[in-house]
Amino acid sequence: AEGAIVTLLLEPHRTRGRYGRLLCHVELSDGGVLNERLLEEGLAVTDERWAHARLDDYAQAEANARRRSRGLWSASGSRAGQ
């Protein structure tokens, strides 16, 4: 996504986290969501600490990455076996 134009999608009930960081979904110009793509590749972990509209989709993307042993879930990944 480096150098790409993105749209930040905010959840109206909570836009900032405990430390003031922006909580958002990053929509790419092709309509995909960066957060979900990172999860699908095993490059991120679902954060279930705040409820949002895409939580189930994110959890499913992470589960798929685990099943396929992608990224963090690969034999050499730091979370393999968790």
Side-chain angles (χ1 to χ4, degrees):
E2 186 176 339
I5 295 175
V6 299
T7 302
L8 302 181
L9 306 172
L10 304 174
E11 295 281 337
H13 63 280
R14 186 163 181 205
T15 58
R16 298 219 175 246
R18 179 178 183 180
Y19 300 104
R21 293 179 289 213
L22 190 61
L23 302 174
C24 65
H25 311 281
V26 181
E27 185 178 65
L28 303 169
S29 59
D30 66 2
V33 179
L34 179 61
N35 315 55
E36 192 166 353
R37 289 190 183 169
L38 292 172
L39 289 162
E40 288 170 346
E41 294 302 317
L43 301 175
V45 178
T46 303
D47 185 350
E48 298 177 347
R49 292 178 294 174
W50 62 288
H52 55 82
R54 297 175 189 256
L55 187 56
D56 289 341
D57 294 334
Y58 289 179
Q60 184 62 47
E62 180 183 318
N64 289 340
R66 285 177 182 242
R67 270 195 303 281
R68 295 184 339 233
S69 299
R70 302 293 304 257
L72 295 169
W73 316 113
S74 69
S76 63
S78 63
R79 291 183 172 258
Q82 288 188 6

